[in-house]
PDB file of all heavy atoms in Angstrom:
ATOM      1  N   LEU L   1      36.429 -69.814   6.976  1.00 52.00           N
ATOM      2  CA  LEU L   1      35.762 -68.526   7.314  1.00 52.00           C
ATOM      3  C   LEU L   1      35.266 -67.775   6.084  1.00 52.00           C
ATOM      4  O   LEU L   1      34.320 -67.001   6.118  1.00 52.00           O
ATOM      5  CB  LEU L   1      36.737 -67.646   8.090  1.00 52.00           C
ATOM      6  CG  LEU L   1      36.165 -66.330   8.673  1.00 52.00           C
ATOM      7  CD1 LEU L   1      34.923 -66.632   9.535  1.00 52.00           C
ATOM      8  CD2 LEU L   1      37.212 -65.573   9.419  1.00 52.00           C
ATOM      9  N   ILE L   2      35.909 -68.031   4.925  1.00 55.00           N
ATOM     10  CA  ILE L   2      35.499 -67.256   3.689  1.00 55.00           C
ATOM     11  C   ILE L   2      34.093 -67.548   3.301  1.00 55.00           C
ATOM     12  O   ILE L   2      33.269 -66.661   3.241  1.00 55.00           O
ATOM     13  CB  ILE L   2      36.504 -67.585   2.562  1.00 55.00           C
ATOM     14  CG1 ILE L   2      37.942 -67.224   2.945  1.00 55.00           C
ATOM     15  CG2 ILE L   2      36.086 -66.885   1.267  1.00 55.00           C
ATOM     16  CD1 ILE L   2      38.950 -67.643   1.928  1.00 55.00           C
ATOM     17  N   PRO L   3      33.691 -68.808   3.051  1.00 53.00           N
ATOM     18  CA  PRO L   3      32.281 -69.051   2.670  1.00 53.00           C
ATOM     19  C   PRO L   3      31.328 -68.741   3.777  1.00 53.00           C
ATOM     20  O   PRO L   3      30.195 -68.298   3.542  1.00 53.00           O
ATOM     21  CB  PRO L   3      32.271 -70.525   2.259  1.00 53.00           C
ATOM     22  CG  PRO L   3      33.453 -71.112   2.953  1.00 53.00           C
ATOM     23  CD  PRO L   3      34.507 -70.049   3.015  1.00 53.00           C
ATOM     24  N   GLY L   4      31.726 -68.987   5.042  1.00 58.00           N
ATOM     25  CA  GLY L   4      30.825 -68.694   6.159  1.00 58.00           C
ATOM     26  C   GLY L   4      30.481 -67.256   6.247  1.00 58.00           C
ATOM     27  O   GLY L   4      29.286 -66.865   6.384  1.00 58.00           O
ATOM     28  N   LEU L   5      31.483 -66.348   6.197  1.00 55.00           N
ATOM     29  CA  LEU L   5      31.193 -64.957   6.308  1.00 55.00           C
ATOM     30  C   LEU L   5      30.480 -64.421   5.085  1.00 55.00           C
ATOM     31  O   LEU L   5      29.538 -63.605   5.216  1.00 55.00           O
ATOM     32  CB  LEU L   5      32.511 -64.158   6.510  1.00 55.00           C
ATOM     33  CG  LEU L   5      33.125 -64.252   7.922  1.00 55.00           C
ATOM     34  CD1 LEU L   5      34.462 -63.533   7.953  1.00 55.00           C
ATOM     35  CD2 LEU L   5      32.205 -63.650   8.940  1.00 55.00           C
ATOM     36  N   LEU L   6      30.842 -64.862   3.903  1.00 52.00           N
ATOM     37  CA  LEU L   6      30.137 -64.433   2.697  1.00 52.00           C
ATOM     38  C   LEU L   6      28.654 -64.839   2.729  1.00 52.00           C
ATOM     39  O   LEU L   6      27.765 -64.097   2.403  1.00 52.00           O
ATOM     40  CB  LEU L   6      30.811 -64.999   1.455  1.00 52.00           C
ATOM     41  CG  LEU L   6      32.170 -64.419   1.134  1.00 52.00           C
ATOM     42  CD1 LEU L   6      32.780 -65.149  -0.096  1.00 52.00           C
ATOM     43  CD2 LEU L   6      32.090 -62.938   0.848  1.00 52.00           C
ATOM     44  N   LEU L   7      28.411 -66.085   3.213  1.00 51.00           N
ATOM     45  CA  LEU L   7      27.007 -66.514   3.295  1.00 51.00           C
ATOM     46  C   LEU L   7      26.232 -65.698   4.297  1.00 51.00           C
ATOM     47  O   LEU L   7      25.104 -65.282   4.048  1.00 51.00           O
ATOM     48  CB  LEU L   7      27.001 -67.990   3.682  1.00 51.00           C
ATOM     49  CG  LEU L   7      25.606 -68.601   3.923  1.00 51.00           C
ATOM     50  CD1 LEU L   7      24.806 -68.552   2.634  1.00 51.00           C
ATOM     51  CD2 LEU L   7      25.722 -70.022   4.415  1.00 51.00           C
ATOM     52  N   PHE L   8      26.884 -65.355   5.436  1.00 54.00           N
ATOM     53  CA  PHE L   8      26.181 -64.497   6.440  1.00 54.00           C
ATOM     54  C   PHE L   8      25.881 -63.135   5.883  1.00 54.00           C
ATOM     55  O   PHE L   8      24.794 -62.635   6.078  1.00 54.00           O
ATOM     56  CB  PHE L   8      27.082 -64.394   7.658  1.00 54.00           C
ATOM     57  CG  PHE L   8      26.459 -63.616   8.756  1.00 54.00           C
ATOM     58  CD1 PHE L   8      25.601 -64.203   9.643  1.00 54.00           C
ATOM     59  CD2 PHE L   8      26.738 -62.261   8.909  1.00 54.00           C
ATOM     60  CE1 PHE L   8      24.999 -63.491  10.658  1.00 54.00           C
ATOM     61  CE2 PHE L   8      26.167 -61.534   9.886  1.00 54.00           C
ATOM     62  CZ  PHE L   8      25.303 -62.143  10.792  1.00 54.00           C
ATOM     63  N   LEU L   9      26.794 -62.548   5.122  1.00 54.00           N
ATOM     64  CA  LEU L   9      26.578 -61.216   4.568  1.00 54.00           C
ATOM     65  C   LEU L   9      25.461 -61.214   3.571  1.00 54.00           C
ATOM     66  O   LEU L   9      24.577 -60.355   3.609  1.00 54.00           O
ATOM     67  CB  LEU L   9      27.884 -60.748   3.902  1.00 54.00           C
ATOM     68  CG  LEU L   9      29.101 -60.527   4.827  1.00 54.00           C
ATOM     69  CD1 LEU L   9      30.330 -60.161   4.021  1.00 54.00           C
ATOM     70  CD2 LEU L   9      28.795 -59.464   5.851  1.00 54.00           C
ATOM     71  N   PHE L  10      25.432 -62.187   2.642  1.00 51.00           N
ATOM     72  CA  PHE L  10      24.372 -62.180   1.647  1.00 51.00           C
ATOM     73  C   PHE L  10      23.045 -62.503   2.266  1.00 51.00           C
ATOM     74  O   PHE L  10      22.048 -61.925   1.848  1.00 51.00           O
ATOM     75  CB  PHE L  10      24.706 -63.173   0.547  1.00 51.00           C
ATOM     76  CG  PHE L  10      25.821 -62.706  -0.395  1.00 51.00           C
ATOM     77  CD1 PHE L  10      27.054 -63.380  -0.435  1.00 51.00           C
ATOM     78  CD2 PHE L  10      25.653 -61.591  -1.185  1.00 51.00           C
ATOM     79  CE1 PHE L  10      28.057 -62.904  -1.240  1.00 51.00           C
ATOM     80  CE2 PHE L  10      26.643 -61.175  -2.021  1.00 51.00           C
ATOM     81  CZ  PHE L  10      27.863 -61.813  -2.045  1.00 51.00           C
ATOM     82  N   LEU L  11      22.994 -63.307   3.275  1.00 49.00           N
ATOM     83  CA  LEU L  11      21.699 -63.562   3.907  1.00 49.00           C
ATOM     84  C   LEU L  11      21.178 -62.335   4.674  1.00 49.00           C
ATOM     85  O   LEU L  11      19.975 -62.107   4.742  1.00 49.00           O
ATOM     86  CB  LEU L  11      21.837 -64.721   4.919  1.00 49.00           C
ATOM     87  CG  LEU L  11      22.023 -66.111   4.272  1.00 49.00           C
ATOM     88  CD1 LEU L  11      22.163 -67.162   5.333  1.00 49.00           C
ATOM     89  CD2 LEU L  11      20.853 -66.433   3.379  1.00 49.00           C
ATOM     90  N   ALA L  12      22.085 -61.575   5.241  1.00 51.00           N
ATOM     91  CA  ALA L  12      21.671 -60.369   5.948  1.00 51.00           C
ATOM     92  C   ALA L  12      21.175 -59.306   5.000  1.00 51.00           C
ATOM     93  O   ALA L  12      20.320 -58.505   5.337  1.00 51.00           O
ATOM     94  CB  ALA L  12      22.830 -59.825   6.790  1.00 51.00           C
ATOM     95  N   LEU L  13      21.695 -59.261   3.735  1.00 48.00           N
ATOM     96  CA  LEU L  13      21.329 -58.238   2.797  1.00 48.00           C
ATOM     97  C   LEU L  13      20.039 -58.551   2.076  1.00 48.00           C
ATOM     98  O   LEU L  13      19.316 -57.639   1.715  1.00 48.00           O
ATOM     99  CB  LEU L  13      22.470 -58.049   1.761  1.00 48.00           C
ATOM    100  CG  LEU L  13      23.655 -57.253   2.260  1.00 48.00           C
ATOM    101  CD1 LEU L  13      24.769 -57.318   1.246  1.00 48.00           C
ATOM    102  CD2 LEU L  13      23.288 -55.828   2.570  1.00 48.00           C
ATOM    103  N   THR L  14      19.812 -59.832   1.788  1.00 50.00           N
ATOM    104  CA  THR L  14      18.666 -60.139   0.962  1.00 50.00           C
ATOM    105  C   THR L  14      17.398 -60.223   1.810  1.00 50.00           C
ATOM    106  O   THR L  14      17.437 -60.471   2.960  1.00 50.00           O
ATOM    107  CB  THR L  14      18.893 -61.503   0.271  1.00 50.00           C
ATOM    108  OG1 THR L  14      19.172 -62.456   1.271  1.00 50.00           O
ATOM    109  CG2 THR L  14      20.014 -61.444  -0.704  1.00 50.00           C
ATOM    110  N   PRO L  15      16.244 -59.969   1.159  1.00 49.00           N
ATOM    111  CA  PRO L  15      14.989 -59.961   1.920  1.00 49.00           C
ATOM    112  C   PRO L  15      14.419 -61.371   2.073  1.00 49.00           C
ATOM    113  O   PRO L  15      13.237 -61.502   2.358  1.00 49.00           O
ATOM    114  CB  PRO L  15      14.117 -59.074   1.061  1.00 49.00           C
ATOM    115  CG  PRO L  15      14.604 -59.313  -0.302  1.00 49.00           C
ATOM    116  CD  PRO L  15      16.089 -59.495  -0.201  1.00 49.00           C
ATOM    117  N   SER L  16      15.191 -62.392   1.824  1.00 46.00           N
ATOM    118  CA  SER L  16      14.653 -63.713   1.924  1.00 46.00           C
ATOM    119  C   SER L  16      14.366 -64.052   3.385  1.00 46.00           C
ATOM    120  O   SER L  16      14.985 -63.472   4.283  1.00 46.00           O
ATOM    121  CB  SER L  16      15.662 -64.750   1.363  1.00 46.00           C
ATOM    122  OG  SER L  16      16.767 -64.816   2.211  1.00 46.00           O
ATOM    123  N   PRO L  17      13.493 -65.008   3.692  1.00 43.00           N
ATOM    124  CA  PRO L  17      13.197 -65.352   5.063  1.00 43.00           C
ATOM    125  C   PRO L  17      14.275 -66.092   5.748  1.00 43.00           C
ATOM    126  O   PRO L  17      14.192 -66.290   6.979  1.00 43.00           O
ATOM    127  CB  PRO L  17      11.916 -66.216   4.911  1.00 43.00           C
ATOM    128  CG  PRO L  17      11.991 -66.735   3.561  1.00 43.00           C
ATOM    129  CD  PRO L  17      12.678 -65.730   2.723  1.00 43.00           C
ATOM    130  N   ALA L  18      15.362 -66.517   5.079  1.00 42.00           N
ATOM    131  CA  ALA L  18      16.441 -67.212   5.737  1.00 42.00           C
ATOM    132  C   ALA L  18      17.445 -66.255   6.264  1.00 42.00           C
ATOM    133  O   ALA L  18      18.113 -65.571   5.565  1.00 42.00           O
ATOM    134  CB  ALA L  18      17.105 -68.173   4.710  1.00 42.00           C
ATOM    135  N   LEU L  19      17.555 -66.216   7.549  1.00 44.00           N
ATOM    136  CA  LEU L  19      18.471 -65.269   8.170  1.00 44.00           C
ATOM    137  C   LEU L  19      18.968 -65.871   9.453  1.00 44.00           C
ATOM    138  O   LEU L  19      18.223 -66.524  10.149  1.00 44.00           O
ATOM    139  CB  LEU L  19      17.771 -63.983   8.465  1.00 44.00           C
ATOM    140  CG  LEU L  19      18.610 -62.799   8.902  1.00 44.00           C
ATOM    141  CD1 LEU L  19      19.808 -62.624   7.998  1.00 44.00           C
ATOM    142  CD2 LEU L  19      17.820 -61.595   8.837  1.00 44.00           C
ATOM    143  N   ALA L  20      20.263 -65.650   9.738  1.00 47.00           N
ATOM    144  CA  ALA L  20      20.825 -66.167  10.945  1.00 47.00           C
ATOM    145  C   ALA L  20      20.130 -65.619  12.117  1.00 47.00           C
ATOM    146  O   ALA L  20      19.552 -64.548  12.104  1.00 47.00           O
ATOM    147  CB  ALA L  20      22.315 -65.843  11.027  1.00 47.00           C
ATOM    148  N   HIS L  21      20.101 -66.309  13.224  1.00 49.00           N
ATOM    149  CA  HIS L  21      19.441 -65.916  14.473  1.00 49.00           C
ATOM    150  C   HIS L  21      17.964 -65.671  14.203  1.00 49.00           C
ATOM    151  O   HIS L  21      17.526 -64.555  13.923  1.00 49.00           O
ATOM    152  CB  HIS L  21      20.077 -64.600  15.038  1.00 49.00           C
ATOM    153  CG  HIS L  21      21.500 -64.776  15.396  1.00 49.00           C
ATOM    154  ND1 HIS L  21      21.957 -65.705  16.256  1.00 49.00           N
ATOM    155  CD2 HIS L  21      22.576 -64.095  14.956  1.00 49.00           C
ATOM    156  CE1 HIS L  21      23.258 -65.634  16.358  1.00 49.00           C
ATOM    157  NE2 HIS L  21      23.685 -64.663  15.601  1.00 49.00           N
ATOM    158  N   GLY L  22      17.221 -66.684  14.328  1.00 47.00           N
ATOM    159  CA  GLY L  22      15.786 -66.527  14.213  1.00 47.00           C
ATOM    160  C   GLY L  22      15.232 -66.658  12.827  1.00 47.00           C
ATOM    161  O   GLY L  22      14.067 -66.440  12.590  1.00 47.00           O
ATOM    162  N   GLY L  23      16.098 -66.980  11.843  1.00 49.00           N
ATOM    163  CA  GLY L  23      15.607 -67.086  10.454  1.00 49.00           C
ATOM    164  C   GLY L  23      14.940 -68.456  10.238  1.00 49.00           C
ATOM    165  O   GLY L  23      14.923 -69.295  11.031  1.00 49.00           O
ATOM    166  N   MET L  24      14.387 -68.613   9.032  1.00 50.00           N
ATOM    167  CA  MET L  24      13.708 -69.822   8.649  1.00 50.00           C
ATOM    168  C   MET L  24      14.053 -70.137   7.204  1.00 50.00           C
ATOM    169  O   MET L  24      13.950 -69.270   6.363  1.00 50.00           O
ATOM    170  CB  MET L  24      12.206 -69.717   8.835  1.00 50.00           C
ATOM    171  CG  MET L  24      11.427 -70.995   8.505  1.00 50.00           C
ATOM    172  SD  MET L  24       9.716 -70.878   8.904  1.00 50.00           S
ATOM    173  CE  MET L  24       9.212 -69.510   7.827  1.00 50.00           C
TER     174      MET L  24
END
């Protein structure tokens, strides 16, 4: 859960197009 949650947090914060739920 540690890398999974950290990855989710950083993807949600950054403006990159990769984002969970509908990201690319």
Side-chain angles (χ1 to χ4, degrees):
L1 185 57
I2 299 174
L5 283 176
L6 290 177
L7 177 61
F8 182 85
L9 296 176
F10 286 114
L11 288 180
L13 282 172
T14 55
S16 68
L19 189 50
H21 299 304
M24 181 174 62

